[in-house]
């Protein structure tokens, strides 16, 4: 069980599930040659995949190609099922910076065979998370610069304005499938620029207003 902190308060949340959206930025869909999905493409990371600030991503021995994906993370503050879009933002406790570390070679094999993605997406250390900033301190989460550096090289640099599905729609659609509970986290997809990382790399993920998340790779 992993706990995340809401900054500026003593409040902590035990993370239940991490529900992740794939293919939510059109330029990223293009770079991987995927199709724009009609319905959200979802997968879940277990709480055992979470690591925190300054911790280490450990690439599993069964992969030779681990990619970074920087993503806006949404922390759920209250229980909900079948949440209508117009009430969705009331379920958000805060926003944070996340990495959806992905074993691209393993995922490509699984996709080819039509198999689930867990081996590529849900491994231990695959979900670095920052602390969360209270939702009421972020005027518009759909207008934040989002970027990622490997060592000092800028690899991803976009805006959450480029998300195709916005947070109210994401929460509404997810909650029609899975009850959202306090402490659940939603990862909202990555912009273009994903690429490989190697042992020894330092990753710095940043989202405007939310601060930065730094991890190393082993
Ligand atoms: Mg992702």
């Amino acid at each position: 069980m992993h706990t995340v902190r809401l900054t500026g308060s003593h409040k902590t949340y035990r993370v239940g599930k991490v529900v992740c959206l794939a293919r939510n930025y059109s330029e990223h869909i293009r770079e991987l040659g995927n199709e724009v999905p009609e319905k959200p493409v979802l997968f879940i990371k277990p709480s055992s995949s979470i690591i925190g600030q300054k911790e280490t991503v450990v690439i599993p021995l069964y992969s030779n190609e681990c990619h970074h994906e920087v993503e806006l993370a949404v922390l759920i503050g209250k229980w909900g099922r079948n949440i209508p879009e117009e009430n969705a933002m009331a379920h958000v406790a805060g926003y944070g910076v996340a990495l959806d570390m992905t074993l691209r070679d393993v995922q490509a094999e699984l996709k080819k065979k039509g198999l689930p993605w867990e081996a590529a997406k849900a491994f231990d250390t695959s979900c670095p998370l920052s602390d969360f900033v209270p939702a009421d301190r972020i005027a518009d989460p759909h207008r934040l610069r989002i970027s990622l550096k490997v060592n000092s090289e800028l690899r991803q640099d976009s805006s959450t304005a480029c998300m195709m599905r916005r947070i109210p729609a994401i929460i509404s659609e997810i909650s029609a499938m899975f009850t959202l509970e306090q402490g659940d986290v939603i990862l909202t997809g990555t912009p273009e620029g994903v690429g490989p990382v190697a042992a020894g790399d330092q990753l710095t993920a940043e989202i405007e207003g939310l601060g930065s998340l730094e991890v190393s790779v082993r």
Side-chain angles (χ1 to χ4, degrees):
M1 194 58 95
H2 190 95
T3 299
V4 293
R5 211 170 59 90
L6 212 51
T7 55
S9 75
H10 295 294
K11 230 175 162 181
T12 58
Y13 291 78
R14 295 177 81 177
V15 180
K17 57 187 170 294
V18 182
V19 185
C20 309
L21 198 57
R23 305 180 191 171
N24 200 29
Y25 286 77
S26 54
E27 289 300 319
H28 172 63
I29 292 173
R30 210 161 300 153
E31 75 181 345
L32 291 187
N34 288 318
E35 282 173 16
V36 176
E38 237 170 81
K39 289 192 175 158
V41 179
L42 301 176
F43 57 93
I44 289 181
K45 290 182 190 263
S47 62
S48 52
S49 68
I50 297 170
I51 58 171
Q53 191 71 259
K54 304 273 187 194
E55 293 193 327
T56 302
V57 173
V58 182
I59 303 173
L61 294 171
Y62 59 85
S63 172
N64 292 307
E65 192 188 13
C66 180
H67 277 199
H68 54 76
E69 296 189 357
V70 62
E71 311 206 359
L72 171 66
V74 176
L75 176 65
I76 296 297
K78 68 172 187 182
W79 188 98
R81 179 186 292 159
N82 290 319
I83 302 167
E85 273 189 44
E86 54 272 26
N87 296 344
M89 296 307 256
H91 289 257
V92 178
Y95 299 99
V97 185
L99 285 164
D100 168 18
M101 300 305 296
T102 301
L103 307 176
R104 196 70 70 201
D105 52 350
V106 175
Q107 186 195 29
E109 279 302 307
L110 296 170
K111 276 161 81 173
K112 229 189 287 173
K113 294 177 183 160
L115 292 171
W117 295 354
E118 277 82 354
K121 291 279 201 181
F123 61 94
D124 287 356
T125 75
S126 66
C127 189
L129 287 180
S130 71
D131 287 341
F132 284 76
V133 172
D136 58 12
R137 285 213 238 137
I138 301 299
D140 184 359
H142 302 103
R143 251 179 60 182
L144 308 175
R145 185 178 174 197
I146 177 167
S147 66
L148 178 116
K149 281 182 190 160
V150 177
N151 303 318
S152 53
E153 186 193 339
L154 189 62
R155 295 266 192 96
Q156 293 187 268
D157 189 11
S158 181
S159 167
T160 58
C162 300
M163 293 200 297
M164 295 188 297
R165 269 189 170 74
R166 302 208 150 202
I167 295 160
I170 293 169
I171 289 175
S172 180
E173 287 177 294
I174 287 176
S175 71
M177 289 179 235
F178 314 116
T179 294
L180 288 173
E181 300 172 296
Q182 187 177 72
D184 286 343
V185 171
I186 297 171
L187 302 196
T188 54
T190 195
E192 72 277 16
V194 301
V197 298
D201 283 345
Q202 296 289 327
L203 311 186
T204 308
E206 259 186 284
I207 299 178
E208 189 184 350
L210 306 182
S212 69
L213 167 65
E214 290 176 39
V215 293
S216 55
V217 178
R218 173 150 62 82

